[in-house]
Amino acid sequence: MIDFTPVQEKQIPWPEFAARLNRQDLIDEVNQLTDTILEILVECSDFAVAFAPHDPEAHDPYAENPEDEDLGWGLGHLIAHITASNEESAFMGAELARGVEVEPRRSRFEIDWEAITTLEQARHRLQESRRMVLASLDVWPDEPHLQNAYKTRSGLEVTPMVRVLFGFSHASSHLAQIEEVIRQAKEAKTKSA
């Protein structure tokens, strides 16, 4: 998997980081990221998917329901969030790669996380998202417009590569959180047995 530490810790700017990679690296990353999450879920059960973890750092100011702002995210919530982020980044990256002039905006749809209650639903959502992200990478032209960009409010130039990498970086930042939810679920299940 791609090590995003240099950009996450601001040791290297996003455009320079992205210039080291190509479309095949993006294809490899979505496959490795999805496979990694699926591998983590091998240690999981339906109980863990439905489990509501304790997360003292939980704060989501964008939660639709104000009561959910400080709710710890369970596996269903994390998977819905990660897949939505990856898809948004991949679809926006495809528009940029095709040469479309893009204004900074959202192109996001996140499925209802409360609908993911079983391990099978979680796996299905991950595989469905992998398929969608790979399809969006497949629409890139043979000679993508890699310099096509839009600027964020902070002045960052977001190219097709940077846009897709944003999603993958964000998803990888949630891997430890997924593992912690599973750990807490196992502990809770053992205590209740």
Side-chain angles (χ1 to χ4, degrees), residues 53-61 68-74 77 177:
H54 171 69
D55 184 353
E57 296 179 26
H59 181 70
D60 181 7
D68 292 344
E69 280 188 26
D70 298 317
L71 180 70
W73 287 11
H77 199 154
Q177 191 176 6

Side-chain angles (χ1 to χ4, degrees), residues 90-101:
F91 279 82
M92 294 291 292
E95 286 192 34
L96 288 164
R98 291 176 38 245
V100 175
E101 288 187 32

